[in-house]
Amino acid sequence: MLTLIPACSSELSKEEQEILDARIADETQPTNMIAVLQDNPDLSTASILVGLSGVGIEMQDNGPYTAFVATNEAFNKMDAQRLSELLSADNKEELASIAEFGLVQGSMTSADIAKAITDGGGSATIATVGGGAIKATMDGDMIVLEDGAGNKANVTKADVTSSNGTMHIVDNLLMPK
């Protein structure tokens, strides 16, 4: 008679396991922009800049924002002494101006930026939280950003989402004038 009762199994079906794995992955993902920044080892220099500047505290639970974030490799293009001076806690004001120059109020996806460029006849001006302006253009499918000093940065990874905005990873540091 016992052989007629199917054995109870604690194993999940493949479908149930995939659903559970996806939920666990979602729960372990960083949520706000600062957490996403801190979680990416290729953005550690930018994370330090934002932390030392005090801007990270302001934006942690606010937003939405769009952030143009330079990679460690982009920071390494700078003169080593200048980078060392820049990342000193004594330069909080300059750090804040750089961090705020790469920050835009409101969440803009790459599609939003591309549309603004098209609507602008080939370029768009994006106002930054720091009071500056970033010029955006397209080079084929790539979004190219230009700061007030004429430095250009390509968006190498677009649409990194967080609970308080969208980040775009760039290959050069955008600086205020």
Side-chain angles (χ1 to χ4, degrees):
M1 189 70 152
L2 289 175
T3 58
L4 297 176
I5 300 173
C8 292
S9 173
S10 63
E11 289 186 33
L12 299 175
S13 70
K14 183 178 177 185
E15 207 171 273
E16 291 169 327
Q17 186 64 50
E18 287 173 0
I19 292 168
L20 179 61
D21 290 346
R23 286 185 181 161
I24 290 170
D26 284 346
E27 289 174 9
T28 61
Q29 290 294 317
T31 53
N32 68 37
M33 200 174 282
I34 299 304
V36 172
L37 189 65
Q38 291 172 340
D39 193 55
N40 187 330
D42 293 331
L43 304 175
S44 61
T45 306
S47 179
I48 291 167
L49 181 143
V50 170
L52 289 174
S53 71
V55 172
I57 293 169
E58 293 175 25
M59 61 184 284
Q60 189 165 347
D61 296 320
N62 295 314
Y65 296 108
T66 300
F68 299 106
V69 182
T71 61
N72 293 345
E73 191 174 308
F75 278 97
N76 289 336
K77 292 177 186 177
M78 293 179 76
D79 175 71
Q81 184 176 347
R82 173 70 178 120
L83 181 59
S84 179
E85 290 169 3
L86 184 63
L87 294 176
S88 163
D90 296 337
N91 286 330
K92 188 173 182 171
E93 193 173 303
E94 184 177 8
L95 289 171
S97 72
I98 294 169
E100 290 176 346
F101 188 78
L103 194 61
V104 176
Q105 193 69 46
S107 186
M108 295 178 74
T109 65
S110 58
D112 296 331
I113 297 168
K115 182 177 180 338
I117 292 167
T118 301
D119 292 350
S123 71
T125 300
I126 302 170
T128 70
V129 170
I134 296 172
K135 179 182 174 185
T137 57
M138 297 293 293
D139 182 7
D141 289 341
M142 185 170 290
I143 296 172
V144 179
L145 306 170
E146 185 176 335
D147 64 18
N151 300 309
K152 292 186 178 184
N154 299 307
V155 174
T156 57
K157 184 173 181 182
D159 303 326
V160 178
T161 59
S162 71
S163 62
N164 64 334
T166 305
M167 292 178 11
H168 303 285
I169 311 305
V170 296
D171 63 359
N172 202 11
L173 182 61
L174 296 168
M175 301 280 281
K177 282 187 178 180

